[in-house]
Amino acid sequence: MVRLLGMLAGLFFGAALLWSFGNGAYTAITEPTAATAEAEFHRHPKEVRFASDGPFGTFDKQQLQRGFQVYKEVCSACHSLRLVAFRDLSQLGYNEAEVKAIAKGFQVPGIDPNTGEANTRPGLPTDYFPKPFANDIAARAANNNAVPPDLSLMTKARHEGPAYVYSLLTGFQNQPAALLQKFPDAKTPAGLHYNPYFANLNLAMAPPLTAEGQVTYGDGTKSSVDQMAKDVAAFLVWTAEPKLAKRHQTGFPVVIFLIFATVLAYMAYQNVWRGKKGNH
């Protein structure tokens, strides 16, 4: 009796599964998904290469310093790096005095030791990068009702993160005429900016990199919009995974060791069991 009930239950769930599959297939065939401007005009990130790419990738410290300079002079006005401390910049090749000078150039939240009231003070190497706005309300008021995201983990939080950041920064443009012809209601609202690399094509952030020479690099590199976008994207790869190069350096010897150990284990197995299997 129990076996019969089990068979009937199995048949019931199998029939339900087949019905659901068939109904879904019929709906997909007879009711095609309506086209949307986002689906048709959204683009995948551009092809771009970084020194940190691949299993043997490492960081180009000169590029990271240039990227930090772009962040400091352009992006930090709106975006925070709440998971990065000033002292972490020593990993980019800055010496102790330079790290102290960079930290001192930022105002961080503090407490007045005499009154106990909140105030601001020059940063110390042990401090983390401060938020550019006091709270989300202030951030929305300054950015067309949008809160600029923290950039610490941006290249990990987005698909194809480094390429996404680079593409977004270099992707601002006028809406294509074809888009407005096909989707008249998809006109970019006032205060927003069209960018095909953003999910819904329109974002509150105005183009942050607008002209060659916007940032003057200390190493003499020509600061085109394309170069600045690549540099800050590379810097954000580091903020998201500062141990990446070390992990790559450690990973390769570990893989070689595991392969060697596997071969030794197999040879030991063969030696121990040689001639014994046939005795059973």
Side-chain angles (χ1 to χ4, degrees):
M1 184 65 180
V2 174
R3 181 177 297 179
L4 178 61
L5 289 175
M7 291 177 62
L8 290 175
L11 287 172
F12 172 77
F13 285 113
L17 182 63
L18 287 173
W19 181 85
S20 299
F21 177 78
N23 186 59
Y26 175 79
T27 301
I29 294 171
T30 58
E31 299 179 18
T33 303
T36 63
E38 290 86 351
E40 187 166 338
F41 287 87
H42 178 255
R43 297 181 186 174
H44 292 291
K46 304 174 184 178
E47 289 287 337
V48 61
R49 299 290 179 186
F50 295 95
S52 56
D53 289 346
F56 304 106
T58 187
F59 287 123
D60 178 347
K61 290 187 177 181
Q62 257 195 325
Q63 183 177 41
L64 296 187
Q65 289 190 11
R66 294 197 303 267
F68 168 64
Q69 188 177 350
V70 175
Y71 168 77
K72 178 184 171 186
E73 297 184 20
V74 181
C75 309
S76 64
C78 298
H79 296 277
S80 58
L81 280 179
R82 64 183 180 84
L83 300 180
V84 182
F86 293 113
R87 62 185 174 188
D88 295 333
L89 296 176
S90 61
Q91 298 176 31
L92 308 189
Y94 293 108
N95 60 39
E96 185 178 349
E98 289 171 327
V99 170
K100 286 183 178 179
I102 291 170
K104 192 174 181 180
F106 286 80
Q107 291 292 311
V108 301
I111 299 293
D112 188 318
N114 298 316
T115 65
E117 296 181 352
N119 63 5
T120 58
R121 58 171 175 78
L124 299 172
T126 52
D127 290 318
Y128 286 75
F129 279 85
K131 294 181 178 180
F133 302 102
N135 50 56
D136 286 353
I137 296 175
R140 289 183 187 279
N143 293 278
N144 198 31
N145 204 37
V147 178
D150 180 83
L151 298 181
S152 304
L153 301 176
M154 184 56 66
T155 57
K156 297 284 283 185
R158 297 291 185 270
H159 178 61
E160 297 183 54
Y164 167 80
V165 171
Y166 166 75
S167 301
L168 193 74
L169 291 174
T170 58
F172 289 92
Q173 58 189 260
N174 294 324
Q175 281 188 295
L179 184 152
L180 296 176
Q181 289 174 0
K182 190 167 184 178
F183 303 99
D185 295 334
K187 183 175 176 60
T188 297
L192 299 185
H193 307 271
Y194 179 78
N195 193 314
Y197 300 99
F198 192 64
N200 67 2
L201 306 181
N202 303 299
L203 71 165
M205 181 177 72
L209 303 176
T210 56
E212 181 177 322
Q214 186 174 346
V215 173
T216 303
Y217 287 141
D219 63 2
T221 300
K222 183 178 179 181
S223 57
S224 63
V225 170
D226 186 81
Q227 184 66 54
M228 289 186 288
K230 285 180 181 176
D231 292 342
V232 76
F235 171 68
L236 293 179
V237 172
W238 172 78
T239 65
E241 198 169 0
K243 304 292 186 184
L244 180 143
K246 187 174 182 180
R247 180 167 57 79
H248 285 173
Q249 292 169 0
T250 304
F252 184 67
V254 168
V255 170
I256 296 297
F257 170 77
L258 290 175
I259 293 173
F260 180 68
T262 301
V263 172
L264 283 180
Y266 177 75
M267 293 172 65
Y269 167 80
Q270 292 287 74
N271 185 59
V272 170
W273 289 97
R274 181 180 299 148
K276 294 185 179 181
K277 289 185 178 181
N279 298 329
H280 294 282

